[in-house]
Amino acid sequence: MRNIVITPLAPIRISVEAEILSPDIFAPLSMEQICGLDVWQGNRKKKISDLFRVVGDEGPAKPEETALRLEGDFSRVKRIAEGMTAGTVDVTGSVGMHAGNNMLGGKLSILGNADDWLGREMRGGSIIVEGNAGNYAGAGYRGERCGMRGGEIEIRGNAGAYLGEHLCGGNIRVAGDAGDFPGAANQGGTIFIGGSCHLPGAEMTKGTIIVNGKAKVLPGYQKLEIVTIGGEKYQKYAGDLVENGKGELFIQAGSS
Amino acid sequence: MIIRGGIVYDPANGIFGEEMDLCIDGGRIVEDAKGEVIDARGLLVMPGGVDAHSHIAGKKMNTGRIMRPDDSRLGTEPRSGVCRPSTGYTVPNCYAMGYRYARMGYTTAFEAATPIIEARHTHEELEEIPILDKGALTLFGNNWEVMECVHDKDIAKLAAYVAWGLRAARGYGIKIVNPGGGEAWGFGSNVKGLYDPVPNFDVTPAEIIHALAEANEMLRLPHSIHLHFNNLGKPGNYTTALETLEALKDIKPSRMRQAVHVTHMQFSAYGGTSWRDFESKAPVIADYINRHNHATMDMGQLLFGAATTMTADAPLEYGNARLTHNKWSNHDIELEESSGVVPMVYSRKMLVNAVQWAIGLELALLTEDPWKVLMTTDSPNGSPFVNYPEVIALLMSKPKRDSEMATLHAELSKRTSLGGIERELDWSEIAIMTRAAPARILGLEDKGHLGFGADGDVSIYNLLPEEVDASKEHATVKKALATAKYTIKSGIVVCKDGKIIATPRGKTYWVDAAAAQADMDRLMVDLQEKFERYYSVQMSNYAVQDVYVTNPKVIKAGIGAEPLKEVA
């Protein structure tokens, strides 16, 4: 395994676009080449070594044998692990927007919080966030018809609004609460919310949403029978009938 | 500037692949010149490309951009050198329009449809498109004043209105889109055929088309009427196409050109009674075009992948939106038109899309005379214009078509005749379909050829036409056409090896046609009433002011005007 550790030289105040912080980009390069990679900070182009201390094993290696460790606060660093196909990225702090977007494989774990658009349009691999995630986790970007299509996102804290909007596949699991409109316009995939949320599955045509806490259900949903999943009783709904949808919504029985 | 040793294809002047030198001075092709020498030894040299039908500017293009933020991130290129940033794929920003056409060796493109009242917006965007010479066709097919003149059988007043409308819109020619249908859409319906009356106006589409064609010839406009048929995009619509063409046979062109140009014929060559038994009727259409000389057409080729449909045919877009469950923009344009925009993805797995793909190619390959059929994709309706090299490669290579067909639905060969067509176009035919013919059909005498006095627009491709077998090496052809080695616009090298190195401003063509004063006076009475009672703007604020067309090229036409010089 080739281990590389990246640490900010100083606290980052102006946002950095760091789609290069990915095993796929680092794996084939030598340490010197890695230090020479370009990143944009605001409207200025900089070298990665201007902003970060990068140390680790000399390459090259295959992406699946590359492990990146991001130590410190990366909450102003965007697009970490964008489009990664293999390997691992571990972040000890928080990450900025668009972490793990378009991911195809590998594993991204975040000990702190994730900002908006976590794992948007991802197709494979897995993301684990120990803290909270922002809005639009696993969603599709503006105007896109399909958000996440595959892979797993696990959020151990809470998630923001529009969780898994336009979801087309894959699994999202939130241990805590989700905000407004989780699973809006879904066309597939599964969302599990451990806590409560507001108005899940608006315009959902296909897919499954399970809410373990309380949720206000939209009038476009048809109330069906009580079912048991994993020993728990849930009220089942079908919808969203506004879109002639065939989605399934399960809300903890007795909670709503 | 001297371009040395290229293999030149200039069909308008009878040059079909001859090695020769070209000289450009003062932005025009001349007999002899000094200065920069461009080494084009053995390379393919053609006049700058001319696109006679493309949606490049105006309100519906902008609506497409607003609706499709997902599209804008597909084609982002940062600012670099002389280039401003580019965005978008099917609905690119204005700068990208100019850069991408120039990169393919195109130097002229015409916006296909602008209502008069929205022409100012079109010109604001045309002004921002770098490099290209351009123009905009003006919509007349669902206009209240037009329909009233048609109802009164007052062709002289109609001609006066067309002249006034072209001047108000700084427009180039008469575009007709689903005549009558756009007006009917205001009441939630459509016209079902050529002889179906338009609600409230007591005229038929046939009458509108015929009258506008007569007015067009009365005004001796450089271009003929530019027609988008009724029933476009519907199975079985080829009968409407043939009926319409037949109804225009008696129109006598006022110039040496067609009497009608039919646009994106692919969408009007459909057989069958529904999408289930949908099939190609391209052979019937091509046969008609082969046997008659009053009509020309463009392909409107469809390619697999993303597109954005945008048209003044609003009922058609309603159908598209219902079919795809996609986003839909619907627009009513006061007394003039309606329109719609719907994003689209054409899929290889869908038999209907595969048949549509085949129809465009059939039309081009079965029409014997390349002067009668232009290569277009009705960008971005069939596919964005950046994919022209793919279309050309398909036209030039039977093996490419075969390998493509092998990946498509097995049923396809029963629904089209494409598999049995052996014809492969050569460079002369391609030069006609992308340069000489569009210029002749539009009536642009300085474009599409390399004779002395023509505009100094030349494209040079990194391809040796005498050595490359386009049939076998279609990948090479496609690559070479996608990135011109040199694109020269008015004597300035704007693109070198696919990189934009200069962005001069292009001209905007518009037609200033004169009409009889007595007819104009009668017209004004009508128009004053229309503006008072119906329009949301004052007549004095309606016309496009000169400040919006800063580099105009005005072509004079109309009654009493000098006879126009014939195009080669």
Side-chain angles (χ1 to χ4, degrees):
Chain A
M1 207 69 179
R2 182 185 183 196
N3 290 294
I4 299 171
V5 181
I6 300 142
T7 325
L9 292 171
I12 292 171
R13 292 210 172 78
I14 295 171
S15 291
V16 175
E17 298 269 332
E19 71 278 20
I20 52 155
L21 293 180
S22 149
D24 292 85
I25 309 257
F26 280 22
L29 303 178
S30 70
M31 289 309 290
E32 196 188 334
Q33 286 168 317
I34 290 171
C35 290
L37 288 171
D38 291 329
V39 288
W40 285 86
Q41 182 174 35
N43 59 3
R44 306 230 166 110
K45 199 191 231 179
K46 299 197 170 167
K47 295 264 173 278
I48 202 169
S49 55
D50 297 340
L51 297 168
F52 303 99
R53 196 166 66 93
V54 186
V55 291
D57 304 332
E58 197 49 69
K62 286 180 180 156
E64 55 268 33
E65 289 162 0
T66 303
L68 266 55
R69 192 173 166 80
L70 276 53
E71 289 189 344
D73 181 20
F74 284 76
S75 56
R76 288 282 169 99
V77 181
K78 296 178 186 171
R79 297 165 70 187
I80 289 167
E82 177 173 285
M84 76 185 263
T85 60
T88 61
V89 176
D90 290 291
V91 191
T92 61
S94 296
V95 295
M97 288 195 281
H98 301 287
N101 66 23
N102 293 331
M103 240 173 96
L104 298 162
K107 192 174 167 192
L108 167 64
S109 31
I110 298 155
L111 276 179
N113 302 323
D115 208 330
D116 297 350
W117 305 108
L118 173 76
R120 70 158 163 85
E121 294 160 30
M122 73 184 274
R123 288 164 183 248
S126 70
I127 299 178
I128 297 174
V129 184
E130 293 293 337
N132 303 323
N135 304 316
Y136 296 102
Y141 203 48
R142 300 294 183 217
E144 207 61 56
R145 291 244 293 170
C146 229
M148 180 172 170
R149 292 167 192 251
E152 314 251 339
I153 297 179
E154 184 172 350
I155 298 160
R156 302 214 163 128
N158 303 323
Y162 296 101
L163 172 76
E165 188 193 35
H166 294 120
L167 193 73
C168 285
N171 290 306
I172 300 180
R173 196 176 176 85
V174 182
D177 298 335
D180 297 344
F181 297 110
N186 274 13
Q187 300 150 61
T190 307
I191 298 176
F192 175 88
I193 298 164
S196 301
C197 66
H198 191 57
L199 302 176
E203 295 185 5
M204 171 157 83
T205 52
K206 223 173 136 187
T208 306
I209 302 175
I210 303 167
V211 184
N212 229 1
K214 291 183 178 175
K216 168 125 177 107
V217 177
L218 283 157
Y221 274 85
Q222 185 188 5
K223 200 167 183 176
L224 300 173
E225 69 280 11
I226 304 273
V227 296
T228 309
I229 305 172
E232 300 268 355
K233 280 194 161 33
Y234 292 90
Q235 172 66 53
K236 184 178 177 182
Y237 295 86
D240 185 344
L241 301 181
V242 168
E243 287 290 313
N244 224 348
K246 302 193 171 39
E248 294 179 322
L249 175 62
F250 300 93
I251 313 279
Q252 174 82 276
S255 71
S256 56
Chain B
M1 175 187 288
I2 306 162
I3 301 162
R4 282 228 191 278
I7 308 298
V8 176
Y9 286 84
D10 180 13
N13 293 308
I15 296 164
F16 303 103
E18 284 173 34
E19 186 185 325
M20 59 188 283
D21 296 346
L22 292 171
C23 298
I24 305 175
D25 192 30
R28 295 194 169 270
I29 307 281
V30 292
E31 220 169 332
D32 200 9
K34 290 191 171 60
E36 189 183 354
V37 176
I38 289 176
D39 179 13
R41 269 173 299 174
L43 300 179
L44 174 64
V45 176
M46 296 197 277
V50 180
D51 195 344
H53 186 105
S54 181
H55 298 270
I56 54 172
K59 206 155 186 172
K60 62 191 175 334
M61 177 47 78
N62 222 25
T63 302
R65 292 180 185 123
I66 293 164
M67 280 168 75
R68 301 208 62 184
D70 52 318
D71 185 80
S72 86
R73 60 186 175 127
L74 292 179
T76 46
E77 295 164 58
R79 182 181 66 176
S80 77
V82 295
C83 290
R84 301 169 89 169
S86 294
T87 66
Y89 172 61
T90 66
V91 281
N93 63 345
C94 298
Y95 313 131
M97 298 278 182
Y99 305 150
R100 290 178 191 169
Y101 265 115
R103 216 171 272 159
M104 298 191 302
Y106 273 70
T107 52
T108 309
F110 271 58
E111 156 59 33
T114 296
I116 307 170
I117 195 169
E118 289 176 352
R120 191 177 286 106
H121 182 149
T122 302
H123 284 291
E124 284 182 301
E125 290 195 18
L126 289 179
E127 288 283 297
E128 293 301 322
I129 297 178
I131 303 170
L132 300 181
D133 287 339
K134 56 250 157 181
L137 301 175
T138 307
L139 288 158
F140 285 100
N142 287 289
N143 188 302
W144 289 15
E145 181 62 35
V146 169
M147 288 190 286
E148 284 172 14
C149 291
V150 173
H151 178 261
D152 299 342
K153 303 201 174 4
D154 193 343
I155 304 298
K157 190 159 86 178
L158 177 61
Y161 181 66
V162 168
W164 182 86
L166 288 178
R167 177 177 259 276
R170 297 292 190 261
Y172 188 78
I174 299 177
K175 173 74 183 292
I176 308 170
V177 174
N178 186 15
E183 174 55 28
W185 181 241
F187 302 91
S189 66
N190 195 357
V191 288
K192 289 169 200 73
L194 209 51
Y195 301 103
D196 192 16
V198 183
N200 306 324
F201 284 92
D202 194 24
V203 293
T204 62
E207 288 166 346
I208 298 173
I209 300 168
H210 201 274
L212 281 168
E214 286 175 60
N216 195 92
E217 302 316 326
M218 188 183 263
L219 291 171
R220 307 160 92 165
L221 298 182
H223 188 34
S224 66
I225 56 167
H226 194 105
L227 182 57
H228 162 132
F229 283 140
N230 296 101
N231 284 331
L232 185 128
K234 294 199 183 102
N237 65 7
Y238 79 106
T239 51
T240 309
L242 295 177
E243 247 180 343
T244 313
L245 287 171
E246 202 58 20
L248 289 165
K249 253 166 65 177
D250 63 324
I251 298 292
K252 190 179 173 325
S254 57
R255 309 187 59 193
M256 203 178 83
R257 57 149 165 74
Q258 74 286 356
V260 52
H261 178 75
V262 181
T263 190
H264 38 68
M265 186 64 102
Q266 179 271 124
F267 292 109
S268 290
Y270 297 168
T273 55
S274 74
W275 294 114
R276 285 175 200 281
D277 61 356
F278 178 67
E279 60 173 350
S280 164
K281 286 289 178 187
V284 183
I285 299 282
D287 181 53
Y288 185 92
I289 298 287
N290 285 337
R291 284 187 289 110
H292 297 82
N293 285 325
H294 66 295
T296 56
M297 61 181 175
D298 59 76
M299 291 164 71
Q301 177 64 24
L302 178 147
L303 293 173
F304 303 112
T308 301
T309 60
M310 50 178 66
T311 171
D313 194 343
L316 168 80
E317 290 293 24
Y318 172 70
N320 280 347
R322 292 297 297 259
L323 201 68
T324 60
H325 297 281
N326 213 326
K327 293 179 260 192
W328 170 43
S329 157
N330 182 42
H331 193 175
D332 174 55
I333 306 162
E334 307 208 2
L335 280 60
E336 299 179 8
E337 264 302 342
S338 57
S339 70
V341 182
V342 175
M344 194 68 90
V345 176
Y346 299 115
S347 162
R348 285 168 185 280
K349 291 176 194 158
M350 290 258 296
L351 177 59
V352 167
N353 292 162
V355 175
Q356 291 175 307
W357 171 84
I359 289 173
L361 297 171
E362 279 182 284
L363 286 170
L365 295 165
L366 294 174
T367 303
E368 286 151 16
D369 182 358
W371 288 94
K372 288 181 178 175
V373 51
L374 309 182
M375 193 283 300
T376 68
T377 60
D378 189 19
S379 172
N381 284 288
S383 186
F385 65 82
V386 288
N387 295 323
Y388 285 175
E390 166 77 8
V391 181
I392 295 173
L394 286 165
L395 293 173
M396 296 188 82
S397 169
K398 165 88 171 147
K400 181 173 170 74
R401 296 198 293 268
D402 286 344
S403 66
E404 194 80 354
M405 277 184 85
T407 68
L408 301 172
H409 204 287
E411 186 82 352
L412 178 61
S413 53
K414 290 183 202 147
R415 306 284 183 99
T416 80
S417 68
L418 184 65
I421 300 174
E422 297 295 328
R423 186 175 175 200
E424 292 176 329
L425 301 189
D426 60 25
W427 286 114
S428 301
E429 289 163 322
I430 295 298
I432 293 169
M433 289 173 68
T434 58
R435 272 88 176 156
R440 181 194 273 185
I441 285 170
L442 284 172
L444 298 170
E445 55 194 33
D446 299 335
K447 295 287 179 195
H449 73 109
L450 298 169
F452 299 143
D455 281 356
D457 298 355
V458 184
S459 35
I460 305 170
Y461 295 100
N462 199 2
L463 186 133
L464 307 167
E466 293 178 334
E467 286 173 29
V468 171
D469 177 354
S471 172
K472 292 198 187 76
E473 297 167 66
H474 49 81
T476 313
V477 167
K478 187 177 161 184
K479 185 160 171 274
L481 293 175
T483 49
K485 186 162 176 64
Y486 290 96
T487 304
I488 296 157
K489 168 73 187 22
S490 302
I492 300 167
V493 178
V494 292
C495 171
K496 191 176 176 198
D497 296 321
K499 191 174 169 358
I500 302 295
I501 56 169
T503 56
R505 298 196 64 178
K507 303 185 282 276
T508 301
Y509 285 89
W510 68 275
V511 171
D512 189 5
Q517 192 56 46
D519 298 326
M520 202 54 103
D521 292 343
R522 288 193 299 132
L523 172 71
M524 281 306 129
V525 178
D526 286 11
L527 290 183
Q528 258 146 13
E529 193 211 341
K530 292 231 157 39
F531 277 94
E532 268 167 35
R533 289 187 63 184
Y534 302 115
Y535 266 112
S536 66
V537 293
Q538 300 275 320
M539 198 163 162
S540 52
N541 296 327
Y542 183 74
V544 176
Q545 296 89 340
D546 282 330
V547 69
Y548 290 94
V549 189
T550 55
N551 195 5
K553 167 93 179 173
V554 185
I555 295 184
K556 295 273 182 194
I559 295 157
E562 289 284 303
L564 292 152
K565 204 171 99 192
E566 296 302 342
V567 181

